[in-house]
Amino acid sequence: MNADPVASSNSHSQLDEQISQLMQRKPLYEQEGGGVFSGFTRLCKGLAVVLVGVYALLQIFPPALSYLALIPAWTIPFVWNLITAGYIEQSLWEVIVSIVGLLFVGKLLEPIWGPREFLKFIFVVNFLTSVCIFITAITLYYITRQESFLYTPLSGFHGILLGFLVGIKQIIPDQELGVLKIKVKWIPSLVVLVSIAISFFRAESASYLPTLIFGTYMSWIYLRYLQRKPETNLKGDPSDEFAFSTFFPEFLRPIIDPIASIFDRMLCSRSENFNEARGNTLGATPLPGSDPIEASRRRERGARALEERLAAEKVSAVGSAKDPSERDAAENV
């Protein structure tokens, strides 16, 4: 199936227009009254209410955990726990971390993806992560014959939080964070690595690892091969900057790339749109939008837009510390 060059050109013009609108959008503190704690989307607030509500339900009716959390031995016939487990936090601090991550990261990703795609990402990644955890638990039980793999309640939103970090890695991989100047593209890998290291010293921390690891990998699978781009009507992100080996240090990539290429060919062979996006040509001439230089420019525009929004929030945080009377006087002047 050949892509229409005119349609492709129009779609990328629409993408450039959307990025321009994002860059020209008023800072968050001007839109909703200011402050770092403003600008949270309605969808993220609604999901935060769900997390709090489910936690409250478990405190009032503890047996509900057996029906909502992922307990591999009971997943059949209680198959709904493959969906509900991702929205259940079993401790207060987990609820707080999940809500903070959802609100702050969500207000960066949702305006770019759109509410519908943002919600779809959460649902798909949560479900695929639960399926992988279920399969892993059953496999470990048959290998070790330890019933703890079958009857330990597994749940948590942290797999989705790691998925959000992968999404940010895709959009602004070279953005530096903090005084350590760590690039965003390394954050998901560092979180998983630190979690693995902690599990050696705290045995209870090991229960988080399956959700963190599968959440990271399933979110990459979704963004790499399945997410549909409305501006191009194609699926996935075939760029080399988002390849699986980019989660690992450069000296390991010669080892990772040949292995990853096997799965890449397996998945790409089932995705015609992905192949078109990766090497779309019309005869010997690349189609509009397939030029890597043009793609890089669009990525830079998106990165600048997010940087401006982050800078605006810093300015609003400083402004919110001023005395209200001083700000009123400045407005009168």
Side-chain angles (χ1 to χ4, degrees):
M1 179 177 63
N2 293 327
D4 185 353
V6 177
S8 180
S9 178
N10 293 336
S11 64
H12 286 290
S13 298
Q14 295 174 0
L15 173 60
D16 291 338
E17 183 179 352
Q18 292 173 0
I19 294 177
S20 298
Q21 293 174 356
L22 178 60
M23 295 178 67
Q24 296 172 2
R25 185 179 299 174
K26 290 184 178 181
L28 296 176
Y29 65 91
E30 293 182 5
Q31 296 176 11
E32 302 187 14
V36 176
F37 298 97
S38 64
F40 302 133
T41 66
R42 292 182 179 180
L43 176 58
C44 290
K45 292 177 182 178
L47 291 173
V49 171
V50 171
L51 294 176
V52 173
V54 173
Y55 176 75
L57 173 64
L58 294 179
Q59 303 309 305
I60 299 173
F61 188 64
L65 181 66
S66 302
Y67 298 94
L68 299 178
L70 176 59
I71 302 178
W74 297 355
T75 299
I76 299 175
F78 301 154
V79 292
W80 58 79
N81 61 34
L82 293 174
I83 298 175
T84 58
Y87 308 101
I88 296 176
E89 299 292 5
Q90 300 183 37
S91 67
L92 182 59
W93 75 268
E94 290 175 344
V95 175
I96 296 174
V97 170
S98 296
I99 291 177
V100 170
L102 171 64
L103 293 177
F104 280 93
V105 180
K107 72 177 180 179
L108 295 178
L109 291 178
E110 186 181 336
I112 297 176
W113 289 351
R116 182 176 180 179
E117 177 57 36
F118 184 76
L119 186 61
K120 181 181 177 183
F121 173 85
I122 293 176
F123 179 83
V124 172
V125 173
N126 172 57
F127 177 74
L128 293 179
T129 299
S130 296
V131 170
C132 291
I133 293 174
F134 170 74
I135 295 174
T136 302
I138 296 297
T139 302
L140 290 175
Y141 167 72
Y142 280 107
I143 293 175
T144 64
R145 293 297 177 177
Q146 296 184 15
E147 294 188 353
S148 59
F149 290 116
L150 294 181
Y151 295 100
T152 300
L154 302 173
S155 63
F157 197 74
H158 39 283
I160 302 298
L161 295 181
L162 262 292
F164 289 158
L165 295 181
V166 175
I168 296 178
K169 164 187 168 70
Q170 179 193 33
I171 297 172
I172 47 172
D174 295 322
Q175 175 72 36
E176 294 182 343
L177 297 179
V179 295
L180 299 178
K181 301 297 183 182
I182 299 176
K183 291 186 176 181
V184 170
K185 63 182 180 181
W186 296 118
I187 299 299
S189 303
L190 288 175
V191 172
V192 172
L193 181 62
V194 171
S195 300
I196 293 175
I198 293 176
S199 67
F200 285 104
F201 302 96
R202 297 183 60 185
E204 62 273 14
S205 299
S207 61
Y208 296 96
L209 289 182
T211 306
L212 294 175
I213 294 174
F214 287 124
T216 302
Y217 186 63
M218 289 299 107
S219 61
W220 176 80
I221 288 288
Y222 178 79
L223 295 174
R224 179 72 167 175
Y225 301 106
L226 303 177
Q227 186 183 53
R228 183 174 294 277
K229 306 292 184 180
E231 66 274 3
T232 61
N233 202 32
L234 299 176
K235 287 184 178 181
D237 180 356
S239 64
D240 293 336
E241 293 80 6
F242 197 56
F244 182 67
S245 59
T246 60
F247 287 86
F248 300 87
E250 292 187 4
F251 70 90
L252 291 176
R253 294 181 185 178
I255 302 175
I256 301 297
D257 280 330
I259 300 174
S261 65
I262 298 175
F263 297 96
D264 188 63
R265 286 193 295 269
M266 291 172 58
L267 292 170
C268 288
S269 63
R270 300 177 181 272
S271 178
E272 186 176 0
N273 287 333
F274 186 89
N275 288 327
E276 289 179 359
R278 191 163 197 169
N280 229 343
T281 59
L282 184 63
T285 305
L287 290 177
S290 62
D291 184 1
I293 297 178
E294 181 182 349
S296 177
R297 289 174 180 171
R298 290 196 304 273
R299 185 185 294 270
E300 290 175 359
R301 293 191 192 104
R304 286 200 302 271
L306 287 180
E307 289 174 3
E308 289 182 2
R309 298 188 67 188
L310 291 173
E313 292 180 14
K314 292 181 181 178
V315 172
S316 67
V318 174
S320 62
K322 295 181 179 180
D323 186 83
S325 61
E326 294 181 2
R327 286 183 290 183
D328 293 340
E331 291 178 358
N332 294 331
V333 174

